[in-house]
Amino acid sequence: MDLDLRKVRYFAAVAELLHFGRAAERLHIAQPVLSRQIRALEKDLGAELFVRDSHGVTLTDAGRQLVEDARQLLAVADGTRRRVGQAARGRRRLVVGFRAGVVVTEALRAFTAGHPDVEVRAHRGMGAPPARA
């Protein structure tokens, strides 16, 4: 049995809000569709994830376990999708031109820390006017 990430995302929304109606609104789907998907996930896993009663919705022990695992699972899936997209587009590059005497080291470090997926190079000009360089 494969775990359907869409159903796990739906579960995570309900688990966070503990309300099927509000979770459906957040996910932009109809509440009956969300309920069916959660029931299907429970069937796939062979475990009840929520206790539903007149007082609302609470997580079962299995549901609490899935909340812990779902965060990690969804983060890995999102990271994989992002890295594959970056690989398909090719590596992004930033070339910074500067004149002698201008220190760019700290700015480049800060940029690299915030954008580790971008290849950064510094190029010191040889005295050419900036427009030509």
Side-chain angles (χ1 to χ4, degrees), residues 84-98:
V84 168
Q86 287 171 349
R89 289 186 303 277
R91 186 146 172 93
R92 297 186 307 167
R93 292 182 189 92
L94 172 67
V95 179
V96 178
F98 65 98

Side-chain angles (χ1 to χ4, degrees), residues 71-121:
R71 287 185 188 122
Q72 204 172 17
L73 179 64
L74 294 173
V76 168
D78 290 342
T80 299
R81 183 176 37 250
R82 188 182 65 254
R83 287 187 301 277
V84 168
Q86 287 171 349
R89 289 186 303 277
R91 186 146 172 93
R92 297 186 307 167
R93 292 182 189 92
L94 172 67
V95 179
V96 178
F98 65 98
R99 290 181 173 251
V102 176
V103 179
V104 296
T105 310
E106 288 304 314
L108 293 180
R109 279 191 193 130
F111 182 85
T112 301
H115 305 278
D117 58 319
V118 178
E119 177 186 335
V120 178
R121 291 188 312 157

Side-chain angles (χ1 to χ4, degrees), residues 34-48:
L34 176 60
S35 293
R36 281 193 301 273
Q37 292 298 313
I38 296 299
R39 288 278 185 210
L41 178 61
E42 289 175 324
K43 183 178 178 189
D44 292 345
L45 294 172
E48 191 173 329

